[in-house]
Amino acid sequence: MKKRYKYVILFFLISLILIGGFSVYHYWYNLNNPNEVPLLATQDWSYPTKLIENLYSREYEIIINDENIEVIWIDRGSNSDNIKLSKFNRSGDLIEEETIFEEATLRNINYYHLDEHNFIFYLSGSGRNMKLNKLTFNEAFELISEETLIDELYNAGGLSIDYNNSDILLSWHHRIDDISSSYQIGAMKYNLDDGVINLNSELIIGEYDSRHPISVLNNNDSYIISNDMDERGYYAGSSLNNNRYLITFNTIDDTTFSVDNSIEIERTQIRDRRDSPKYVIDDEDIYIYWNYFDSGDRARTIYLSNINLVDYSIEELKYVTGFNNSEPGIIRRGDKYYFSYIQETEPEKGIKVIESDDPINQRMDGETLFPVHKYISQPRLSGNQSEALLSWLRIEGGQRTLYYSSDAEGYNPSVSTILGLSREEFDLNLLSIFLYYFLLPFLPMAFNLHFLVLPFLAAFALYYFIKYFKSDLLFNKRYFTFISSLMFIIIGTFIRGDTGFLFFPETPPSGLLIPILISAFISVIIYFNNVEESSGLEFYVGFSMIIALFYWIAQINLVFQTFNYFL
């Protein structure tokens, strides 16, 4: 075998041994410490499954079955809006899709299932000619009937429903008149057997504006959580920077179907429907969660208040997350509570979830589920007795894409994902991995070229100084150059005060610093012991040993930086 092939093969062999050896440790550590690896998905929930690409609107409803996931969503046809029903298996493969209803314009779909019937409530029309409608389907989603519950609504939106068996409480906001641009809240008590029981289109009229109501039906009691703008909010300025709306908990008198009592809670930031307060009922208390914009820290946080449903006393306000959090959600499944929110900033940007045996009533830090899904919106919790399901929207290629995850399935990451070399939805790219491990180590060397050149120049001067005065000390010129350059690097490291210049883009785990340096040093000795002496070139061979040392240090460090490049 020619010498040059021998050196090349030995170089790649040593590199593969270093990469393989430290990758084994990297894999073992990540597998056993997933919570300490910020870019590895939480394994208690299934990996994100894509359901619908190019979602026309933010509105959808998810139906959970044992083997399938069904999604009711709005799609835009050529001349009308379509309500579609898409059925997927648990892997996200589309089984079937059909249009179950179409109308010129529609919005705010709300789904309910009872006694082998499926019901959809929605708003249709535009301007002064909007309507509140109900669709009734059988189990196979074949349309049985359609009914207009109320018409002549003006710019209506924010439809919200809650239900208790056959009783349904609906609420919405709509514009008051042409003169005023303000909105008021209307509500309706509806029974699936008897039809409309109570209706009040002017249930809540705020001083300036009332929007995005939340319907709450608890046993036989009706409540509306409203967001009301008062004089302070009206003159507060941009809604993106101020808490313009006041959250109000309204009790409804079922006899007169009017507001019996209003409890002011706290101000909130409302950008659109996704910022509406969320709630959960626990025995005789209702816990309400909402976004609050802290003007001092210029960041959103999530606040909580709970109201006793017997005497309507209100507990002191608390914040349950840190800053830069938004879009809270909560559900109760059996004896367990699930609370979700968005962490808006690095390093833990993404969806966070808290599981608790009690309602979230104190500050708690959630666990980031899917760090690769950073830029998301509208996380939504739903569930049944056997599982909790989390869905959310993600912008991909300028289009909304719907994803889901379930706590009933779990997640077993692949070896390449644990090593940070690929995401689950992508195939392993061997060429990229080869280029990463064998070409990228030159990058930190280029960034820190001065740490190679300066020791080399110092070693060069020392070499010729000793050669001139006492040449018998240069018994092995290559190792003299290597050791002297290494000594100058060590001296420079002490002067600098850290070893960060050896690594790029980040330093490896602190406990591995010494093993990495020793492994790279031994590799240099093994490799260059197989390189034959060349008269007159010993000094440059010694400097090549320094370059090889830097290269293998950088190559080993890249084993621990894969998440920065591949995920």
Side-chain angles (χ1 to χ4, degrees):
M1 183 183 295
K2 293 184 179 181
K3 291 180 182 178
R4 59 184 178 183
Y5 294 141
K6 172 186 173 183
Y7 297 150
V8 170
I9 292 174
L10 182 59
F11 168 78
F12 279 105
L13 181 61
I14 291 175
S15 293
L16 290 174
I17 291 173
L18 291 174
I19 294 170
F22 281 93
S23 291
V24 169
Y25 173 83
H26 190 44
Y27 174 84
W28 173 85
Y29 181 85
N30 290 350
L31 186 64
N32 292 280
N33 301 276
N35 294 332
E36 297 182 25
V37 185
L39 291 175
L40 190 61
T42 302
Q43 298 175 33
D44 294 335
W45 291 70
S46 62
Y47 194 78
T49 300
K50 183 184 296 186
L51 294 177
I52 299 176
E53 295 179 293
N54 194 19
L55 197 67
Y56 172 66
S57 75
R58 295 176 178 272
E59 298 175 33
Y60 65 90
E61 296 281 345
I62 286 187
I63 305 172
I64 305 172
N65 298 316
D66 291 337
E67 297 180 357
N68 302 315
I69 297 291
E70 293 179 298
V71 183
I72 301 172
W73 57 291
I74 298 176
D75 192 19
R76 180 64 183 172
S78 56
N79 298 309
S80 63
D81 289 339
N82 303 322
I83 298 180
K84 286 191 172 181
L85 175 67
S86 302
K87 180 183 290 186
F88 302 86
N89 62 23
R90 291 291 179 145
S91 299
D93 301 319
L94 181 64
I95 299 173
E96 60 179 324
E97 183 175 272
E98 61 178 322
T99 298
I100 58 176
F101 187 75
E102 63 181 56
E103 190 159 333
T105 57
L106 55 86
R107 68 180 73 169
N108 293 172
I109 54 175
N110 286 256
Y111 168 77
Y112 179 46
H113 177 270
L114 180 69
D115 296 337
E116 300 182 353
H117 287 85
N118 296 293
F119 304 94
I120 295 177
F121 296 86
Y122 70 98
L123 295 170
S124 66
S126 60
R128 284 188 169 278
N129 300 312
M130 295 194 67
K131 301 176 182 179
L132 172 57
N133 310 280
K134 184 197 74 167
L135 302 175
T136 304
F137 301 86
N138 60 19
E139 283 282 24
F141 269 96
E142 296 170 334
L143 183 62
I144 297 175
S145 66
E146 53 182 296
E147 178 184 359
T148 296
L149 304 183
I150 183 173
D151 55 13
E152 296 184 357
L153 294 173
Y154 188 8
N155 284 351
L159 179 63
S160 170
I161 75 168
D162 197 13
Y163 40 80
N164 180 22
N165 296 320
S166 296
D167 290 326
I168 299 178
L169 178 65
L170 303 95
S171 61
W172 63 92
H173 65 245
H174 59 115
R175 190 167 168 179
I176 296 175
D177 52 44
D178 285 329
I179 299 175
S180 171
S181 60
S182 298
Y183 284 75
Q184 61 190 358
I185 291 175
M188 173 189 295
K189 189 75 170 290
Y190 186 86
N191 185 276
L192 293 174
D193 299 319
D194 303 326
V196 178
I197 299 175
N198 286 306
L199 171 64
N200 188 342
S201 297
E202 300 178 351
L203 180 70
I204 300 172
I205 302 178
E207 184 176 355
Y208 287 93
D209 213 8
S210 294
R211 301 196 190 200
H212 301 292
I214 304 296
S215 300
V216 182
L217 196 57
N218 183 42
N219 299 322
N220 295 319
D221 298 321
S222 302
Y223 308 98
I224 301 289
I225 303 172
S226 61
N227 301 286
D228 306 323
M229 187 186 294
D230 58 11
E231 186 176 5
R232 291 174 295 168
Y234 188 77
Y235 293 105
S238 171
S239 61
L240 293 177
N241 299 320
N242 296 276
N243 304 290
R244 301 182 73 185
Y245 287 89
L246 179 66
I247 302 175
T248 307
F249 183 76
N250 303 278
T251 65
I252 309 300
D253 187 315
D254 276 339
T255 303
T256 61
F257 205 63
S258 59
V259 174
D260 182 47
N261 185 23
S262 294
I263 302 170
E264 294 184 353
I265 299 177
E266 179 55 278
R267 308 194 66 78
T268 183
Q269 182 189 57
I270 298 288
R271 296 168 296 180
D272 51 41
R273 191 182 182 190
R274 61 186 163 165
D275 285 333
S276 296
K278 306 300 187 296
Y279 75 91
V280 67
I281 294 177
D282 178 55
D283 296 329
E284 296 179 347
D285 290 281
I286 182 170
Y287 293 79
I288 302 174
Y289 307 84
W290 67 91
N291 285 339
Y292 183 84
F293 186 85
D294 189 294
S295 57
D297 290 278
R298 307 296 299 170
R300 279 189 291 271
T301 188
I302 297 172
Y303 271 77
L304 149 78
S305 182
N306 65 293
I307 298 173
N308 185 275
L309 296 177
V310 177
D311 60 11
Y312 299 113
S313 60
I314 183 170
E315 292 288 334
E316 181 181 359
L317 304 179
K318 303 175 182 178
Y319 65 96
V320 293
T321 64
F323 290 116
N324 298 302
N325 304 134
S326 64
E327 299 191 42
I330 189 166
I331 63 165
R332 179 178 182 177
R333 182 171 67 83
D335 295 328
K336 189 176 288 292
Y337 294 84
Y338 294 81
F339 182 76
S340 68
Y341 61 96
I342 295 177
Q343 171 69 40
E344 298 178 327
T345 55
E346 299 288 3
E348 297 182 0
K349 188 172 185 175
I351 307 173
K352 286 198 168 190
V353 171
I354 300 171
E355 298 181 21
S356 175
D357 294 330
D358 302 300
I360 310 303
N361 56 11
Q362 58 184 334
R363 181 170 180 180
M364 301 177 71
D365 190 22
E367 193 171 30
T368 304
L369 291 191
F370 315 112
V372 296
H373 279 227
K374 296 179 181 293
Y375 303 100
I376 54 93
S377 66
Q378 279 188 262
R380 183 187 299 182
L381 286 164
S382 54
N384 54 28
Q385 292 303 312
S386 60
E387 69 176 309
L389 188 141
L390 178 68
S391 58
W392 65 94
L393 300 180
R394 186 183 186 202
I395 302 299
E396 296 180 350
Q399 299 176 339
R400 298 185 188 95
T401 302
L402 177 63
Y403 283 85
Y404 93 94
S405 174
S406 168
D407 73 338
E409 301 169 39
Y411 166 53
N412 295 313
S414 64
V415 173
S416 60
T417 299
I418 294 175
L419 289 174
L421 295 174
S422 73
R423 284 164 50 177
E424 298 288 347
E425 58 265 42
F426 299 132
D427 295 329
L428 200 64
N429 191 320
L430 296 179
L431 177 60
S432 296
I433 293 173
F434 175 82
L435 296 175
Y436 171 78
Y437 278 122
F438 287 95
L439 293 185
L440 204 60
F442 289 109
L443 191 60
M445 294 171 62
F447 273 110
N448 298 296
L449 188 62
H450 55 293
F451 284 104
L452 292 174
V453 173
L454 293 178
F456 168 74
L457 294 176
F460 182 85
L462 181 63
Y463 175 84
Y464 281 100
F465 178 82
I466 294 177
K467 182 179 180 180
Y468 181 81
F469 287 101
K470 203 167 185 178
S471 61
D472 56 332
L473 289 177
L474 302 176
F475 57 90
N476 190 315
K477 297 178 182 178
R478 72 164 67 173
Y479 279 104
F480 174 84
T481 305
F482 175 60
I483 297 300
S484 59
S485 297
L486 196 58
M487 288 177 59
F488 285 118
I489 290 174
I490 294 173
I491 292 171
T493 301
F494 277 108
I495 294 174
R496 183 183 174 91
D498 68 81
T499 59
F501 69 91
L502 293 172
F503 307 103
F504 180 88
E506 298 176 5
T507 57
S510 58
L512 292 177
L513 182 61
I514 299 302
I516 289 175
L517 297 177
I518 292 175
S519 298
F521 181 83
I522 293 174
S523 299
V524 169
I525 301 300
I526 292 174
Y527 182 82
F528 283 92
N529 272 346
N530 288 276
V531 176
E532 296 180 359
E533 294 281 353
S534 299
S535 177
L537 299 176
E538 296 88 350
F539 176 81
Y540 302 100
V541 172
F543 183 63
S544 297
M545 295 172 71
I546 288 293
I547 294 177
L549 179 67
F550 268 73
Y551 178 89
W552 274 318
I553 289 174
Q555 190 176 63
I556 297 171
N557 181 50
L558 287 176
V559 171
F560 304 96
Q561 309 301 327
T562 50
F563 290 105
N564 293 319
Y565 292 91
F566 292 97
L567 295 187

